[in-house]
Amino acid sequence: MGKIDRDEILEIFEGYDKEDLSIATLGSHTSLHILHGAKMEGFKTTVVCEKGREVPYQRFRVADEFIIVDEFKEIADEDVQEKLREMNSIIIPHGSFVAYAGLDRIENDFYVPMYGNRNILRWESERELERRLMKKAGIRIPYKYDDPEKIDRTVMVKFPGARGGRGYFVASTPEEFHEKIDLMIEREWITEDEISDAHIEEYVAGTNFCIHYFYSALKDEVEILGMDSRYESNIDGLVRIPAKDQLDINLQPSYVITGNHPVAMRESLLPQAFDIGDKMAEAAKELVPPGLNGPFCLQTMCTDNLEIVTFEMSARLDGGTNTFMDGSTYSCLLYGEGMSMGRRAAHEIKNAKKEGVLEKIIT
């Protein structure tokens, strides 16, 4: 089966009632501010939700229509797709949508118009594609090891997909790498088959900034809408213990993301942040047209030399955007009002509709 041709989606979209569009997403991850933002921009909203998990969308009154399923993955089933099309829905993707619908189905048989670029979603999931895009952009990224036996300094080990830090670990020698791989398998955080997928890169010491960008295809401009840093368990709890006591605790550090908090970057670093975002947007246009259309996020570390190093990318709306549902330090400068990332996406769709160029931002 070949990938969905964009013309097929545009043909479906041609049959939509453009005066009765609905913004739709999966009921998880960042759907609250996607739906709330869409309503603020005057759209109807639809949520696809697992039975029993619809309460937040009812109680916060962000969804007009509910499609209730037994399992989230059913969003890619034909009967659910048909309902979405009947509602003139435009899907806004997020991490849970990608994880549950599955990249193969999104690329090959999900015939619902989507805001953004469905073809770039794989580029955040497959580490080599992600690295290829970042190298094309010419931004500073960590050194990568192709063989665990060559580890000669502290490294971070990751695995494919949007895992939220689950299964990540730090190692300093080949022996430590293998010991911790065995521990991850024992905890059932990775499988034997995934060992060869381990992505090993230098550990960059610094402060964490997850920079949330929005590329407007209508303006051909990259905006910075917000920034966050992550709470990670159990490493954040471990470092609160005095150093002299840490060795006495039988606890292996883990990096599972459990929350996010908003941050503001030192102002003199902002030129670097904009430069990195601009370079990524230009590289993506060339490698995966139409590029990073809409929200994207770069996860970075800032060293004590004040160099921003990018170690990961989200090619869609990232979970950290939950920290600015009513706007951020940066969206306030741009819009002077509560502009969430969800609302910004809906705002772009509304402007494209007004200008008669909706097909420019739909895939």
Side-chain angles (χ1 to χ4, degrees), residues 130-145:
E130 178 187 54
R131 191 170 179 86
R132 180 182 163 196
L133 179 53
M134 292 194 289
K135 288 179 77 171
K136 177 71 174 177
I139 63 177
R140 167 77 162 92
I141 58 178
Y143 176 78
K144 177 180 177 292
Y145 288 79

Side-chain angles (χ1 to χ4, degrees), residues 229-240:
S229 187
R230 275 81 202 273
Y231 292 110
E232 296 172 332
S233 185
N234 58 17
I235 188 65
D236 283 338
L238 190 58
V239 297
R240 293 172 64 88

Side-chain angles (χ1 to χ4, degrees), residues 143-145 147-148 151 155-157 177 198-202:
Y143 176 78
K144 177 180 177 292
Y145 288 79
D147 182 351
I151 294 173
V155 297
M156 174 65 80
V157 182
F177 170 88
H199 180 89
I200 308 167
E201 63 184 31
E202 66 171 304

